[in-house]
């Protein structure tokens, strides 16, 4: 229970077996608490008991238990007070205290005693020395004892070491036998106005709507004799006030089980007499239905009109003497600031106002074609929240959410309220929420018993709905504005993230991470390689990482959704159905049930855990990923068991899917372009280096730029004939396809010409002519070409031609470094090119280093490595192998500047083995 503790105090110690003193009411101006010393030794004539688990549904069940018990005992006059007190006390036990609630109903000679016990005895009632202010009745907790003090004839609190028991007693009112309702005595001038004789017309209508009975008072009121109207449709006489935009008429009203309201009857003199009518649908012993209509003049409606329940007697007036704001009376003060809090408070107060077992509130979508469940109480809210139902569910008034409706028995009209299917509710009253004539929502209250509601309750609920509609719409618009701002911020951030990568796998991961858990509980991305390919499950993500593998396994066994290019989200039921079947099989295996099949047959198939089945068992939607008029995949979003997506989330997901589709397609195009570029780049480089006896060779090649565009630097080392090997390292001006054409031409032409036995200068001169023949595509080329022949004495003879390329450097064993060739004109510029070759002998231990200008032109601000810097690094490589020399040069180049290289780099190191230093 939610009573306050004594400030700074503890529950008093008491001997085992003793009880706390009982409590009773005293008239002290406030509802104060004091000791009740009256004996409780009344004779018990009947007993009923029940226990309720600590779940929200137990409160409604407890109310039904008390209501049915007291009605069965004949205490209908005190049922309402008993149900209200039981509801508050059980709520305190199962919701606030979080324990089981035990309800005991006792019938005594004096009345009814009801006891509610919980398992949370640590709390105690406030001090009794002075009047106690229990707090505002509008707050959600702490009202149980206050209501007991206000409504019960006697009440109290008993403590034991393990239980706290709150009891109250209600005595039946002393009323004359047979009285259903009564009003106070009034002065004559306040009584309803009527003629000298009140005439009540009794008209009976058959199945077809024709008059079958017409009494004397009907003839006096309307001027028709019975034989003049018998057999004629009542619609010929009635002047029905049609509601604009609806098809509701008297013919439909006559088919309703009960109806009460005003219309007109056209008399024999042609005048219309306004009447107040009460209709009741009955059937005779043969089962033939008919409608009995009681009619009085409209100003005499008090004779037939069901008395409206007046405002509570204890409603406090405001300071200026005016009545309290109906909205504040219904919702309570202060009203919740957030929409969800306001809606939840609304359904709870509506349920309590009509003493229902459940209540729900739906909000209309922008186009007013569907209603979305936003709050409920007494219903499985997880299953219903954000579920959508159509506004117009059928023809006529009762199939439209735009008009009030009362359903006496849902079991007699299956599907009349789809939202309540399977919930055990039998009767329901629903009213629309309208703002300036526009439908904004629907409020409903339901009960487990049939025929619980009539027009009176519908009018009361409509009155409350009219008072809260504007507040609800204002809060909804505020939430929608916040959601749209958040959606815009979300889409901007998502666009930045998606635009920041061109990697396909990273794009898939970003798509899933942006949707989970912001938009959905789990996400799966399907991709389609081309129009002839089936969708492929590429990525799965769940907010609980332990469930990812199970969901991936389940989805891999489900046929993928169809790649429909139609925009918008569509529901995909296959995962939920398979998850349900898998969970059923898992439960059967756990119970040892095989259903007539061998156990090994049950164990085959998907077989996910129950947790996986629950995670995928909710609503699943599919959004197409369309880019450049082609479906390239599907984005699948899912909720756990029995949850639905709200419309705003689906619209946001649709916007995200469009951006994600374009990013994914850009990543695909970039990947294809990069793959082509890298493949072409590899084709311009030798597949491998030959093994040369007596010479160590090492090559390092680093292409600059993202994606490693083709063109730029190249190298080659290949056998010629008779133990001779050709080597080359070159640099084509620029990058891209034109440079790649020159690169491929140069490398392949060198091999062909060298193997024809031509000298180095001749080879380069013919290559120069071939480059010039390319015309506008030609590019100038710097090239170092040479032929190497290992010698019997361990040395190696080189013939080198350096056409505009950085000069090769020779490292001797003594650490000296010198240029191994002289510069000559580059290729691709001059037609009549005359070149010559130079001979270089590498002694054992000597190293020949050849690089491209990407090495020597490495810059850090205004500084450049240059030929001298390269020579300084090379002097430190004495005694190193060719591989170690190339690696040290590359490290020095990388460390020279912090920025990434802006040009391709190629390093070719050749060393004649000799004595190595320790």
């Amino acid at each position: 229970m939610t009573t306050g503790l004594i400030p700074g105090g503890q529950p008093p110690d008491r001997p085992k077996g003793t009880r706390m003193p009982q409590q009773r009411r005293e008239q002290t101006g406030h509802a104060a608490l004091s000791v009740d010393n009256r004996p409780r030794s009344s004779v018990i004539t009947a007993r009923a008991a029940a226990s309720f688990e600590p779940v929200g549904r137990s409160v409604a069940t407890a109310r039904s238990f008390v209501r049915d018990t007291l009605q069965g005992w004949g205490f209908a006059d005190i049922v309402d007070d008993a149900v209200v007190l039981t509801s508050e006390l059980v709520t305190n036990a199962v919701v606030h205290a979080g324990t089981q609630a035990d309800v005991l109903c006792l019938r005594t000679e004096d009345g009814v005693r009801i006891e509610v016990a919980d398992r949370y005895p640590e709390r105690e009632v406030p001090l009794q020395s002075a009047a106690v202010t229990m707090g505002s009745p509008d707050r959600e907790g702490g009202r149980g004892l206050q209501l007991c003090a206000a409504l019960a004839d006697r009440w109290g609190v008993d403590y034991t070491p393990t239980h706290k028991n709150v009891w109250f007693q209600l005595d039946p009112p002393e009323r004359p036998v047979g009285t259903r309702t009564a009003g106070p005595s009034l002065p004559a001038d306040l009584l309803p106005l009527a003629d000298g004789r009140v005439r009540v017309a009794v008209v009976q209508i058959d199945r077809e709507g024709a008059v079958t009975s017409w009494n004397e008072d009907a003839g006096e009121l309307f001027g028709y004799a019975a034989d003049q109207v018998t057999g004629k449709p009542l619609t010929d006489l009635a002047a029905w006030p049609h509601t604009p935009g609806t098809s509701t008429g008297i013919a439909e009203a006559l088919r309703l089980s009960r109806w009460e309201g005003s219309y007109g009857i056209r008399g024999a003199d042609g005048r219309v007499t306004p009447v107040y009518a009460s209709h009741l649908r009955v059937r005779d012993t043969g089962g033939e239905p008919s409608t009995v209509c009681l009619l009085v003049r409209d100003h005499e409606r008090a004779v037939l009109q069901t008395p409206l329940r007046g405002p509570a007697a204890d409603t406090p007036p405001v300071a200026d003497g005016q009545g309290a704001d109906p909205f504040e009376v219904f919702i309570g003060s202060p009203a919740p600031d957030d929409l969800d809090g306001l809606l939840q408070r609304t359904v709870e107060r509506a349920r309590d106002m009509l003493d229902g077992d459940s209540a729900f509130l739906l909000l209309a979508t922008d186009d007013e074609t569907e209603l979305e469940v936003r709050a409920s109480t007494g219903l499985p809210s997880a299953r219903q929240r954000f579920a959508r139902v159509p506004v117009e569910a059928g023809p006529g008034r009762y199939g439209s959410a735009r008009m009030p409706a009362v359903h006496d028995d849902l079991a007699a009209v299956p599907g009349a309220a789809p939202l309540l299917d399977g919930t055990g509710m039998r009767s329901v009253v629903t009213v629309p929420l309208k703002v300036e004539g526009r439908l904004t929502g629907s409020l409903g209250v339901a009960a487990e018993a049939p025929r619980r509601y009539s027009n009176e309750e519908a009018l009361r609920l409509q009155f409350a709905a009219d008072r809260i509609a504007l507040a609800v719409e204002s809060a909804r618009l505020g939430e929608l504005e916040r959601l749209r701002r958040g959606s815009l911020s979300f889409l901007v951030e998502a666009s930045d993230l998606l635009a920041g990568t061109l990697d396909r796998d990273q794009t898939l991961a970003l798509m899933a991470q942006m949707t989970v858990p912001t938009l959905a509980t789990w996400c799966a991305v399907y991709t389609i390689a081309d129009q002839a390919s089936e969708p492929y499950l590429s990525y799965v993500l769940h907010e609980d990482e332990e469930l990812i593998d199970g969901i991936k396994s389940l989805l891999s066994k489900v046929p993928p959704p169809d790649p429909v290019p139609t925009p918008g989200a569509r529901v995909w039921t296959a995962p939920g159905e398979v998850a349900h079947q898998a969970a059923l099989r898992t439960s059967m295996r756990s119970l040892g049930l095989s259903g007539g099949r061998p156990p090994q047959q049950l164990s085959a198939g998907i077989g996910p855990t129950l947790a996986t089945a629950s995670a995928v068992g909710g609503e699943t939607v599919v959004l197409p990923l369309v880019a450049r008029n082609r479906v390239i995949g599907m984005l699948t979003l899912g909720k756990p068991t029995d949850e639905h997506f709200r419309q705003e989330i689906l619209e946001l997901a649709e916007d995200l899917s469009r951006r994600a589709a374009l990013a994914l397609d850009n990543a695909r195009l970039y990947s294809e372009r990069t793959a082509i570029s890298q493949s072409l780049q590899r084709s311009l480089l030798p597949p491998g280096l030959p093994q040369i006896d007596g010479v160590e060779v090492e090559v390092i090649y680093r292409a600059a730029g993202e994606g490693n565009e083709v063109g730029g630097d190249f190298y080659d080392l290949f056998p010629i004939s008779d133990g001779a090997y050709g080597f080359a390292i070159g640099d084509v001006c620029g990058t891209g396809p034109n440079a790649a054409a020159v690169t491929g031409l140069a490398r392949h032409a060198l091999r062909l010409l060298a193997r024809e036995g031509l000298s180095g200068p001749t080879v380069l001169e013919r290559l120069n002519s071939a480059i010039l023949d390319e015309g506008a595509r030609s590019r100038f080329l710097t090239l170092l070409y040479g032929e190497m022949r290992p010698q019997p004495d361990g040395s190696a003879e080189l013939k080198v031609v350096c056409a505009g390329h950085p000069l090769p450097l020779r490292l001797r064993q003594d650490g000296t470094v010198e240029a191994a060739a002289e510069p000559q004109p580059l290729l691709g510029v001059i037609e009549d090119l005359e070149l010559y070759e130079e001979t270089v002998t590498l002694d054992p231990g000597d190293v020949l280093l050849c690089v491209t200008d990407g090495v020597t032109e490495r810059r850090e601000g205004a500084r450049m490595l240059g030929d001298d810097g390269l020579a300084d690094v090379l002097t430190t490589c004495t005694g190193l192998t060719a591989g170690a020399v190339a690696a040290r040069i590359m490290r020095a180049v990388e460390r020279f500047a912090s920025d990434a290289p802006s040009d391709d780099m190629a390093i070719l190191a050749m060393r004649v083995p000799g004595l190595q230093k320790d």
Side-chain angles (χ1 to χ4, degrees):
M1 293 181 61
T2 55
T3 57
L5 285 171
I6 299 175
Q10 299 293 332
D13 298 331
R14 56 183 183 275
K16 183 176 181 181
T18 63
R19 290 187 174 181
M20 291 285 291
Q22 302 167 15
Q23 312 297 323
R24 66 180 176 88
R25 262 190 321 168
E26 289 187 353
Q27 303 298 328
T28 59
H30 293 280
L33 305 178
S34 61
V35 179
D36 181 3
N37 296 317
R38 295 177 57 179
R40 294 157 47 191
S41 58
S42 301
V43 177
I44 298 175
T45 59
R47 177 192 301 266
S51 297
F52 303 94
E53 296 299 321
V55 295
R57 177 65 181 160
S58 296
V59 179
T61 307
R63 289 199 300 268
S64 299
F65 164 71
V66 172
R67 183 187 302 110
D68 294 342
T69 300
L70 268 59
Q71 287 178 344
W73 288 348
F75 290 105
D77 292 319
I78 60 175
V79 165
D80 291 341
D81 289 346
V83 168
V84 169
L85 294 178
T86 303
S87 178
E88 285 295 331
L89 296 178
V90 173
T91 299
N92 288 348
V94 303
V95 176
H96 300 296
T99 72
Q100 176 179 306
D102 300 322
V103 179
L104 174 63
C105 300
L106 301 175
R107 186 179 67 186
T108 66
E109 296 173 338
D110 300 329
V112 173
R113 175 188 172 98
I114 297 178
E115 301 180 0
V116 179
D118 62 47
R119 312 295 176 85
Y120 199 70
E122 289 82 357
R123 300 189 178 186
E124 55 184 331
V125 298
L127 287 171
Q128 314 302 313
S129 58
V132 179
T133 300
M134 301 291 290
S136 170
D138 295 317
R139 67 179 187 176
E140 290 303 312
R143 299 180 300 184
L145 298 184
Q146 186 178 11
L147 288 176
C148 286
L151 300 179
D153 293 282
R154 291 184 296 279
W155 69 282
V157 182
D158 298 336
Y159 284 94
T160 69
T162 59
H163 292 72
K164 179 192 291 148
N165 184 35
V166 180
W167 62 270
F168 60 88
Q169 182 159 333
L170 298 173
D171 298 334
E174 296 181 0
R175 292 181 179 175
V177 177
T179 300
R180 177 180 179 271
T181 183
S185 299
L186 295 176
D189 58 345
L190 297 180
L191 296 176
L193 179 66
D195 291 343
R197 176 189 174 189
V198 177
R199 299 183 182 274
V200 179
V202 180
V203 182
Q204 192 161 2
I205 311 301
D206 63 11
R207 178 196 294 269
E208 304 301 329
V211 176
T212 59
S213 177
W214 185 270
N215 73 340
E216 180 182 352
D217 281 356
E220 291 293 334
L221 285 174
F222 310 120
Y224 297 106
D227 56 355
Q228 291 181 280
V229 295
T230 301
K232 294 183 178 180
L234 183 64
T235 54
D236 292 349
L237 306 177
W240 185 262
H242 285 279
T243 302
T246 67
S247 59
T248 306
I250 189 170
E252 181 182 356
L254 292 174
R255 289 193 295 269
L256 301 178
S257 60
R258 184 181 293 275
W259 186 88
E260 188 174 322
S262 299
Y263 53 90
I265 295 293
R266 186 174 290 103
D269 57 0
R271 297 181 179 180
V272 175
T273 302
V275 298
Y276 191 85
S278 177
H279 299 175
L280 178 65
R281 189 79 161 163
V282 298
R283 59 188 174 92
D284 59 19
T285 55
E288 186 68 17
S290 62
T291 303
V292 177
C293 305
L294 305 180
L295 312 175
V296 297
R297 293 183 179 93
D298 191 64
H299 64 273
E300 298 172 342
R301 64 170 56 200
V303 176
L304 299 179
Q305 188 174 24
T306 302
L308 297 177
R309 184 178 301 177
D314 56 351
T315 300
V318 296
D320 59 1
Q322 300 298 324
D325 182 4
F327 173 77
E328 296 293 343
V329 171
F330 182 72
I331 293 297
S333 180
D337 295 331
D338 61 304
L339 177 63
D340 289 336
L342 177 62
L343 298 183
Q344 193 62 36
R345 178 82 65 85
T346 298
V347 296
E348 290 173 358
R349 293 300 170 87
R351 178 201 62 191
D352 295 342
M353 183 180 71
L354 298 187
D355 191 21
D357 295 309
S358 64
F360 51 88
L361 194 150
L362 303 86
L363 294 183
T365 56
D366 291 339
D367 57 4
E368 296 184 22
T369 59
E370 288 185 315
L371 294 167
E372 191 175 62
V373 180
R374 291 301 303 273
S376 64
T377 181
L379 296 174
S381 57
R383 174 172 69 86
Q384 304 294 346
R385 186 163 171 79
F386 299 124
R388 289 175 294 279
V389 297
V391 171
E392 306 291 344
R397 165 184 169 180
Y398 276 62
S400 172
R402 303 181 187 276
M403 299 293 291
V406 178
H407 293 282
D408 288 336
D409 193 349
L410 295 176
V413 189
L419 191 64
L420 300 177
D421 290 347
T423 61
M425 301 299 157
R426 294 285 298 277
S427 55
V428 61
V429 52
T430 61
V431 295
L433 275 70
K434 293 185 177 182
V435 176
E436 298 180 352
R438 182 174 58 87
L439 180 69
T440 60
S442 178
L443 177 62
V445 178
E448 294 178 346
R451 293 176 293 279
R452 281 285 304 279
Y453 303 114
S454 63
N455 286 342
E456 176 190 353
E457 284 77 13
L459 289 172
R460 294 178 61 203
L461 190 62
Q462 184 67 72
F463 178 81
D466 292 341
R467 295 304 180 271
I468 67 169
L470 186 60
V472 169
E473 180 66 4
S474 177
R476 187 188 74 87
L477 293 177
E479 181 199 61
L480 186 60
E481 180 64 22
R482 290 191 296 271
L483 181 61
R484 285 175 176 171
R485 290 182 180 179
S487 301
L488 182 60
S489 176
F490 172 77
L491 291 175
V492 169
E493 182 179 358
S495 299
D496 290 342
L497 291 174
L498 291 172
T501 179
L502 288 172
D503 182 81
R504 175 183 176 275
D505 294 336
Q506 188 174 2
T507 302
L508 291 173
L510 284 175
M511 291 170 58
Q513 292 167 6
M514 285 185 293
T515 57
V516 177
T518 304
L519 305 181
T521 305
W522 64 271
C523 168
V525 182
Y526 290 83
T527 56
I528 303 175
D530 52 62
Q531 297 297 331
S533 302
E534 291 292 327
Y536 174 75
L537 182 61
S538 300
Y539 201 90
V540 175
L541 183 66
H542 191 280
E543 60 183 7
D544 185 355
E545 295 182 356
E546 296 181 356
L547 298 178
I548 294 178
D549 291 339
I551 295 177
K552 187 182 298 183
S553 174
L554 187 145
L555 292 179
S556 64
K557 304 300 189 298
V558 178
D562 296 331
V564 179
T566 305
R570 69 181 192 276
V571 177
W572 186 29
T573 60
E577 294 172 353
V578 173
H580 175 74
Q581 296 172 3
L584 180 61
R585 289 196 299 268
T586 302
S587 300
M588 292 176 62
R589 286 196 299 269
S590 66
L591 296 174
L593 302 176
S594 61
R597 292 178 293 173
Q600 60 271 20
Q601 186 175 356
L602 279 175
S603 61
I606 300 175
T609 64
L610 291 175
T612 301
S614 177
V616 186
E619 187 177 49
T620 303
V621 297
V622 178
L623 297 104
L625 298 175
V626 181
R628 298 176 175 89
N629 299 322
R630 186 173 70 89
V631 180
I632 63 172
M634 283 87 70
L635 178 63
T636 303
L637 306 180
K639 287 282 190 179
T641 301
D642 295 334
E643 285 198 21
H644 298 265
F645 287 96
R646 59 185 304 179
Q647 188 64 32
E648 292 84 354
I649 294 298
L650 293 179
E651 293 173 358
L652 181 58
E654 185 177 356
D655 288 339
L656 177 63
S657 68
R658 288 194 291 266
R659 290 165 169 78
L662 188 58
L664 184 61
D665 198 47
N666 289 340
R668 176 189 63 83
L669 294 175
Y670 182 78
S671 298
E672 292 177 356
R673 179 176 178 271
T674 301
I676 294 173
S677 175
Q678 292 175 345
S679 177
L680 181 56
Q681 182 72 62
R682 286 191 298 268
S683 70
L684 301 178
L685 300 176
L689 298 177
Q691 296 292 329
I692 304 176
D693 295 336
V695 178
E696 298 175 359
V697 179
E698 181 66 27
V699 173
I700 296 179
Y701 181 84
R702 297 287 174 83
E706 187 177 359
N708 301 333
E709 291 188 348
V710 297
D713 300 357
F714 71 95
Y715 66 90
D716 202 358
L717 180 63
F718 54 91
I720 299 177
S721 62
D722 300 333
Y725 294 86
F727 65 90
I729 183 169
D731 184 4
V732 178
C733 174
T735 59
N738 290 335
V742 177
T743 301
L745 173 65
R747 194 175 75 82
H748 294 291
L750 284 175
R751 289 198 174 205
L752 292 174
L753 295 173
R755 287 171 177 171
E756 291 294 326
L758 302 177
S759 64
T762 305
V763 170
L764 267 61
E765 289 170 0
R766 293 193 177 184
L767 176 59
N768 180 66
S769 299
I771 293 175
L772 292 175
D773 289 341
E774 290 292 308
R777 294 186 303 170
S778 65
R779 298 292 183 93
F780 63 83
L781 167 68
T782 66
L783 180 63
L784 172 64
Y785 173 74
E787 295 181 0
M788 177 177 57
R789 291 178 181 271
Q791 301 298 315
D793 60 356
S795 63
E797 183 182 84
L798 282 69
K799 294 182 178 180
V800 181
V801 179
C802 186
H805 199 76
L807 299 178
L809 299 180
R810 176 182 180 181
L811 172 64
R812 295 184 181 272
Q813 280 211 11
D814 59 3
T816 59
V817 175
E818 60 184 6
E822 295 181 356
Q824 300 185 57
L826 51 76
L827 307 181
V829 178
I830 305 173
E831 293 186 1
D832 298 329
L833 192 63
E834 295 183 1
L835 302 173
Y836 60 91
E837 63 183 5
E838 300 173 74
T839 301
V840 179
T841 301
L842 295 181
D843 297 325
D846 289 355
V847 176
L848 183 69
L849 178 66
C850 308
V851 299
T852 58
D853 59 2
V855 174
T856 57
E857 295 179 0
R858 177 71 164 155
R859 292 181 178 274
E860 174 67 20
R863 297 186 308 120
M864 186 173 69
L865 180 63
D867 296 335
D868 295 337
L870 180 62
D872 293 340
V873 177
L874 186 59
T875 57
T876 65
C877 299
T878 304
L880 300 180
T881 63
V885 170
R888 179 169 292 186
I889 297 298
M890 179 56 68
R891 284 198 303 271
V893 172
E894 291 175 344
R895 292 173 181 173
F896 185 80
S898 59
D899 296 336
S902 59
D903 196 4
D904 300 340
M905 293 185 293
I907 300 175
L908 173 62
M910 295 180 291
R911 178 177 180 272
V912 177
L915 297 176
Q916 297 185 5
K917 292 184 179 181
D918 296 332

